[in-house]
Amino acid sequence: MFEYAPAPESRDVVDIKPSYGLFINGEFVPGSSSFKTVNPANEEVLAEVAVASSDDVDRAVQAARKAFGVWSSMPGAERAKYLFRIARIIQERARELAVLESLDNGKPIRESRDVDVPLVAAHFFYYAGWADKLAYAGFGDRPLGVAGQVIPWNFPLLMLAWKIAPALACGNTVVLKPAETTPLTALLFAEICQQADLPPGVVNIVTGAGETGAAVVAHPDVNKVAFTGSTEVGRIIARTVAGTSKKLTLELGGKAANIVFEDAAIDQAVEGIVNGIFFNQGHVCCAGSRLLVQESVQDQLLDSLRRRLSTLRLGDPLDKNTDIGAINSADQLARIRQLSDLGEQEGASRWSPACELPEKGFWFPPTIFTGVAQSHSIAREEIFGPVLSVLTFRTPAEAVEKANNTPYGLSAGVWTEKGSRILWMADRLRAGVVWANTFNRFDPTSPFGGYKESGYGREGGLAGLEAYLDV
Ligand code: NAD
Ligand code: MG
């Protein structure tokens, strides 16, 4: 191994203010209290951010309601112009957005720069294209009204784009609550809405924690609720919304199987496994957290995988060489540690490459568990961290059985040379997305969503319009 020289991206490209208000009716307004958001890579406080009380949420919903009249009666082609403008500004300010995302979230700049931000722009471009063509999509062209949207911290800007772009294209207005550990790029997005001259109240951003989210979801004048986050909170939200006329979509957790057959190109599969579970520190709902490998190639594949993991570089998220950044919060780190320790106690073997962890900040080394049984917690529960559980199978039927033996059903990966086997597997896997000889591949034209406890409704693509129209 040779040493790389550090290649840090400059943080001077972003101008982080000491404090941020709430974005309501096109303006930043103070909240009554505030919280701190930190850089998880070094625990530096980045900014004080306002907490939206239920009164603040009410003001935001009222602003959105008022703006709905203007926005929904605007011709689709006019709404599209705003969305195209937002998409272009996102591209122009891509470097700033990527650096801010990496600072607040801890993800490597290589990912925020090359994956998150380009996909964010792509989503706005894609849904801008639908705004004047809704009549051809098959769901009618009547918007629902005010959309209340609550998102998690793992892809802060991308989840914002998945929620806001289709909502606005369909003529709805929005009150969005970002996650409490990653509010900053949503607030920069609010500035982008101002820069794009978006009519006031069409997008409102209310920051805060679970209570603020609950106030958005429960507000009587919200017509549509869209949530991405944990299955636990998803259940609470489903109960709140039950019995109202609110339309609901839920994107929840996952425990995807990445299934490797003996005829697969092993080196290619190893890259897919690494991308599947170590991308974004494994903070990915559709992460390939269970590797199902055919018994005959287990040793060969694990040798290659261990060798590959030894080359991953963990450290400063702003360094362009970094593969694995910081865990998003102390809480999430504690949960990953707890579940990993449980894995050992239950009898699985743990392995990590030699890897020095920085002293400050929240870090967890890439980790593999072998000798994992179906009944182990690490095979059943979502760890949401850089931890892979390895199980084996002998026949395709056994692979399907094991892959589907989970309360979740968000995604799966199949690695084989045989096209007919891919189709056979895809027919039987209870998962919203099945990737063949690739993993974690996203595109705005492709719908995404779950089966079972992974939630319901689809985001992305033509199917994603349905959630925001009165069908
Ligand atoms: P979380 O459910 O705790 O929080 C998600 C969001 O909900 C945050 O903004 C939070 O403030 C808010 N919230 C918390 N309690 C609430 C309540 N009672 N009412 C309304 N809002 C509330 O989850 P998290 O820890 O932030 O994110 C990790 C989880 O999200 C993982 O389980 C992961 O699988 C899931 N996730 C799913 C997808 C998907 O597309 N299916 C995508 C990303 C993350
Ligand atoms: Mg943060």
Side-chain angles (χ1 to χ4, degrees):
M1 278 288 286
F2 53 91
E3 282 302 310
Y4 289 82
E9 172 61 277
S10 165
R11 67 170 282 173
D12 296 344
V13 298
V14 290
D15 172 26
I16 302 180
K17 298 176 182 57
S19 67
Y20 288 86
L22 310 166
F23 186 64
I24 296 177
N25 205 28
E27 287 172 15
F28 285 93
V29 297
S32 38
S33 59
S34 69
F35 65 100
K36 293 176 171 55
T37 186
V38 304
N39 176 349
N42 58 16
E43 298 171 59
E44 172 200 352
V45 173
L46 293 170
E48 289 271 346
V49 179
V51 175
S53 65
S54 51
D55 285 349
D56 296 323
V57 168
D58 185 48
R59 270 190 282 282
V61 174
Q62 282 181 33
R65 173 62 55 197
K66 200 162 140 249
F68 178 65
V70 178
W71 187 246
S72 61
S73 52
M74 197 182 273
E78 290 301 310
R79 287 202 304 272
K81 286 183 195 167
Y82 287 100
L83 290 172
F84 279 122
R85 200 179 294 160
I86 288 171
R88 284 194 304 269
I89 298 172
I90 287 167
Q91 289 185 319
E92 283 161 18
R93 300 181 69 172
R95 194 166 163 212
E96 198 181 338
L97 287 163
V99 170
L100 189 60
E101 193 78 315
S102 282
L103 283 171
D104 203 14
N105 168 283
K107 64 175 70 205
I109 187 74
R110 200 163 50 84
E111 294 180 7
S112 48
R113 181 196 62 192
D114 298 348
V115 182
D116 298 49
V117 175
L119 277 174
V120 169
H123 271 269
F124 278 96
F125 277 118
Y126 176 77
Y127 280 110
W130 272 117
D132 64 345
K133 302 173 194 71
L134 294 174
Y136 303 97
F139 309 115
D141 60 0
R142 279 186 302 153
L144 294 164
V146 176
Q149 308 178 319
V150 179
I151 57 172
W153 43 261
N154 56 341
F155 293 95
L157 254 187
L158 186 57
M159 291 301 108
L160 173 150
W162 281 26
K163 299 273 181 285
I164 293 185
L168 297 195
C170 293
N172 305 278
T173 56
V174 161
V175 176
L176 176 129
K177 193 201 84 69
E180 53 271 39
T181 57
T182 54
L184 295 184
T185 46
L187 295 165
L188 182 51
F189 179 82
E191 287 177 28
I192 289 175
C193 291
Q194 289 179 324
Q195 191 184 344
D197 267 331
L198 192 70
V202 172
V203 168
N204 304 274
I205 309 277
V206 289
T207 41
E211 259 179 61
T212 305
V216 171
V217 169
H219 196 290
D221 204 25
V222 161
N223 306 100
K224 149 86 194 173
V225 171
F227 173 74
T228 295
S230 61
T231 296
E232 192 190 345
V233 174
R235 278 200 195 96
I236 298 173
I237 291 176
R239 275 198 291 272
T240 307
V241 169
T244 72
S245 60
K246 291 174 192 173
K247 199 164 173 172
L248 175 65
T249 41
L250 295 173
E251 299 274 9
L252 309 175
K255 191 74 189 173
N258 213 348
I259 306 163
V260 183
F261 285 93
E262 61 188 0
D263 65 339
I266 295 294
D267 287 345
Q268 194 188 331
V270 164
E271 289 308 308
I273 294 162
V274 169
N275 177 39
I277 185 63
F278 301 114
F279 175 68
N280 200 29
Q281 296 71 246
H283 300 327
V284 183
C285 47
C286 53
S289 52
R290 290 182 297 152
L291 170 62
L292 296 186
V293 54
Q294 198 157 17
E295 221 172 73
S296 48
V297 289
Q298 178 184 207
D299 292 345
Q300 182 196 350
L301 182 126
L302 285 177
D303 281 351
S304 304
L305 186 60
R306 290 199 183 98
R307 214 174 315 127
R308 179 67 179 90
L309 285 198
S310 307
T311 67
L312 292 179
R313 306 180 61 81
L314 175 148
D316 181 8
L318 285 193
D319 190 327
K320 293 163 198 153
N321 296 314
T322 294
D323 298 307
I324 300 194
I327 299 302
N328 180 253
S329 65
D331 283 352
Q332 188 58 26
L333 179 58
R335 180 174 160 72
I336 298 168
R337 281 190 178 141
Q338 183 209 344
L339 272 166
S340 303
D341 292 347
L342 195 56
E344 262 178 320
Q345 286 158 25
E346 289 179 341
S349 319
R350 177 180 188 152
W351 181 88
S352 289
C355 170
E356 221 173 284
L357 303 183
E359 263 169 37
K360 287 203 109 175
F362 316 126
W363 304 92
F364 198 86
T367 298
I368 303 180
F369 277 100
T370 49
V372 179
Q374 284 284 20
S375 57
H376 288 169
S377 308
I378 50 170
R380 310 203 61 80
E381 287 183 42
E382 186 178 47
I383 301 176
F384 224 58
V387 180
L388 178 68
S389 298
V390 183
L391 296 97
T392 60
F393 68 91
R394 291 183 188 177
T395 63
E398 189 187 348
V400 168
E401 215 253 32
K402 284 188 167 166
N404 288 341
N405 186 351
T406 166
Y408 296 111
L410 200 49
S411 62
V414 178
W415 299 81
T416 173
E417 279 287 289
K418 246 189 171 155
S420 58
R421 182 175 286 152
I422 292 170
L423 298 176
W424 190 89
M425 294 290 292
D427 270 349
R428 287 161 181 77
L429 290 168
R430 301 285 294 162
V433 185
V434 178
W435 284 295
N437 295 321
T438 186
F439 207 90
N440 273 344
R441 197 168 278 278
F442 290 95
D443 187 281
T445 63
S446 173
F448 182 85
Y451 278 77
K452 304 193 279 185
E453 289 185 24
S454 292
Y456 41 80
R458 294 291 177 265
E459 292 187 310
L462 186 150
L465 293 168
E466 186 184 0
Y468 289 97
L469 290 166
D470 185 3
V471 180

